[in-house]
């Protein structure tokens, strides 16, 4: 007879007092298998603890307790990215013939929603069954984006599955692309790099990019290239294979075009990450059409984790479920437009497990 999972415990506590009066909270979600913590700064998935094949738990996200770092070099660690994840070329969008200049983040693009993005904001939080709901109001014109936007991010835990669900509504036509930006190291935080992790991506193409990381031209097949993770292989193997695209970012920082999934259907698997040493596995399922994989190529050891480790290149890997980069300028891509009376919805499931 199958023993049902223990109900998820949900606890709220003040976050580190170094928040300098920001009034931050930490929410802990605990099942009989894993534990996750979420903080109200950036609606961030802050820690994630799971057992290895021997049942020994370890915290598997890159993180820091330093609020100053979370507002600086670690500003994207685990956060809900918005209003628009990834890059928008030329820092502008056009909707219904009206041009909207966006605040730039450098290199001729607006990245992850602008210089004062959702990752810097303190979200409101409330308990929901098996989890916590975060809410943020983004005013009309925020970072240049039109429309007042209300965003809700739900984190719910059921057994070994953590589900992140997004919802948004707007007062004017706008564009929305939300994701979570957690960095994973399944060996455990601070325990080496992720180059030996086995990665599988359920995608047959990428969106090739220029030197600004902006897509150009048609989708590019991955078969036989450094981007071919249609079957499991170590991340280092792909990097060693070499590819002109890898020179642009000194590693992986690219969007895979996921295989077609049912419209308005449940999340479908996008990727599988596995650490041979510990046996930990992570399945990522999503309703989104793309997956941005970033191997922390630009990490400069300025962020210190709880283990005392300074994070350098390849200390973790981000698996960002989202729409394709620069979709507002790419009419052939799935649309990211949101209009009054419509509701943006998206879900991603992080399913933790072990392999022999």
């Amino acid at each position: 007879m199958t023993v049902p999972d223990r109900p998820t415990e949900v606890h709220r506590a003040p976050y580190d007092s170094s928040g300098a009066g920001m009034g931050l909270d930490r929410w802990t979600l605990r099942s009989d298998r894993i534990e996750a913590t979420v903080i109200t700064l950036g609606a961030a998935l802050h820690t994630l603890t799971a057992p290895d094949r021997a049942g020994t738990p370890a915290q598997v996200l890159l993180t820091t307790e330093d609020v100053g770092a979370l507002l600086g070099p670690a500003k994207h660690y685990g956060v809900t990215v918005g209003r628009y994840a990834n890059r928008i070329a030329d820092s502008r969008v056009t909707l219904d013939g009206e041009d909207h200049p966006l605040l730039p983040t450098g290199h001729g693009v607006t990245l992850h929603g602008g210089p004062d993005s959702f990752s810097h904001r303190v979200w409101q939080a409330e308990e929901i069954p098996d989890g916590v709901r975060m809410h943020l109001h983004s005013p009309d014109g925020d970072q240049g984006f039109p429309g007042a936007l209300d965003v809700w991010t739900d984190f719910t835990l059921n057994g070994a599955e953590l589900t992140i669900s997004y919802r948004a509504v707007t007062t004017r036509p706008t564009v929305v692309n939300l994701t979570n930006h957690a960095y994973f190291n399944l060996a455990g935080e601070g325990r080496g790099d992720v180059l030996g992790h086995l990665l599988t991506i359920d995608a047959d193409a990428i969106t090739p990019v220029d030197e600004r990381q902006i897509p150009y031209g048609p989708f590019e097949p991955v078969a036989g290239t450094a981007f071919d993770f249609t079957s499991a292989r170590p991340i280092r193997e792909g990097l060693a294979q070499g590819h002109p695209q890898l020179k642009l970012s000194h590693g992986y920082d690219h969007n895979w075009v996921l295989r077609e999934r049912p419209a308005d259907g449940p999340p479908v698997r996008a990727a599988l990450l596995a650490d041979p040493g510990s046996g930990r596995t992570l399945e990522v399922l999503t309703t989104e059409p793309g997956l941005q994989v970033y191997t922390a190529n630009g990490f400069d050891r300025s962020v210190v984790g709880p283990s005392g480790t300074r994070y350098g290149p390849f200390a973790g890997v981000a698996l960002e479920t989202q729409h394709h980069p620069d979709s507002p300028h790419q009419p052939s891509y799935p649309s990211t437009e949101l209009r009054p009376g419509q509701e943006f919805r998206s879900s991603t499931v992080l399913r933790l497990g072990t392999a022999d």
Side-chain angles (χ1 to χ4, degrees):
M1 186 174 76
T2 302
V3 178
D5 291 326
R6 185 181 69 206
T8 299
E9 300 174 16
V10 181
H11 301 283
R12 175 185 181 180
Y15 185 58
D16 192 335
S17 60
S18 65
M22 295 177 70
L24 305 179
D25 286 330
R26 183 199 315 264
W27 290 75
T28 300
L29 316 182
R30 186 180 297 114
S31 74
D32 57 354
R33 303 186 193 185
I34 65 175
E35 179 183 284
T37 66
V38 181
I39 60 174
T40 50
L41 179 60
L45 177 59
H46 193 56
T47 65
L48 187 61
T49 301
D52 64 10
R53 64 165 64 90
T56 303
Q59 202 286 106
V60 299
L61 298 186
L62 304 190
T63 192
T64 178
E65 291 297 312
D66 181 357
V67 173
L70 292 173
L71 292 169
K75 64 184 178 181
H76 292 141
Y77 282 32
V79 299
T80 297
V81 177
R83 173 178 309 201
Y84 198 96
N86 218 308
R87 295 161 178 86
I88 296 178
D90 304 323
S91 296
R92 61 182 60 248
V93 294
T94 302
L95 292 157
D96 299 337
E98 184 178 355
D99 192 49
H100 300 276
L102 309 176
L103 293 185
T105 52
H107 308 291
V109 305
T110 293
L111 171 67
H112 290 336
D116 182 19
S117 63
F118 289 2
S119 63
H120 292 77
R121 314 289 173 84
V122 179
W123 295 51
Q124 300 302 308
E126 64 176 334
E127 184 174 345
I128 58 175
D130 298 323
V132 59
R133 171 169 295 157
M134 301 279 179
H135 170 252
L136 181 72
H137 177 76
S138 173
D140 187 12
D142 190 1
Q143 308 299 287
F145 290 96
L149 191 77
D150 279 283
V151 182
W152 294 266
T153 302
D154 292 359
F155 298 85
T156 54
L157 180 60
N158 183 1
E161 290 188 356
L162 179 68
T163 299
I164 308 174
S165 300
Y166 308 94
R167 185 165 62 91
V169 294
T170 184
T171 60
R172 295 175 60 195
T174 192
V175 292
V176 177
N177 189 20
L178 303 175
T179 192
N180 182 271
H181 209 297
Y183 289 95
F184 300 94
N185 185 329
L186 297 183
E189 181 272 325
R191 298 181 185 176
D193 60 45
V194 296
L195 293 175
H197 280 37
L198 303 177
L199 179 61
T200 308
I201 304 175
D202 297 328
D204 301 305
I206 62 166
T207 51
V209 294
D210 62 20
E211 65 279 357
R212 298 182 300 164
Q213 298 293 103
I214 296 297
Y216 67 86
F219 297 159
E220 187 173 289
V222 300
T225 75
F227 294 89
D228 191 348
F229 287 93
T230 51
S231 58
R233 66 169 174 168
I235 292 173
R236 70 160 48 89
E237 182 180 297
L239 291 171
Q241 189 172 341
H243 192 287
Q245 284 282 303
L246 296 178
K247 296 178 181 179
L248 296 173
S249 52
H250 308 288
Y252 292 110
D253 190 6
H254 293 80
N255 172 66
W256 271 256
V257 182
L258 297 173
R259 291 170 187 151
E260 190 170 353
R261 51 213 54 230
D264 300 320
V268 175
R269 197 184 83 163
L272 173 65
L273 186 68
D275 171 45
S278 67
R280 291 188 187 89
T281 61
L282 171 67
E283 277 189 284
V284 179
L285 302 89
T286 188
T287 56
E288 290 294 289
L291 179 74
Q292 184 85 9
V293 177
Y294 177 47
T295 46
N297 321 316
F299 280 23
D300 61 3
R301 298 180 171 82
S302 60
V303 177
V304 182
S307 62
T309 301
R310 289 187 173 274
Y311 298 143
F314 313 115
V317 58
L319 304 171
E320 306 160 53
T321 56
Q322 57 190 254
H323 272 57
H324 306 324
D326 199 37
S327 289
H329 297 141
Q330 307 286 345
S332 64
Y333 291 1
S335 176
T336 55
E337 291 186 8
L338 180 68
R339 295 178 176 275
Q342 298 178 333
E343 188 173 66
F344 172 92
R345 284 187 176 271
S346 173
S347 292
T348 291
V349 177
L350 305 178
R351 179 183 292 161
L352 291 145
T354 56
D356 295 333

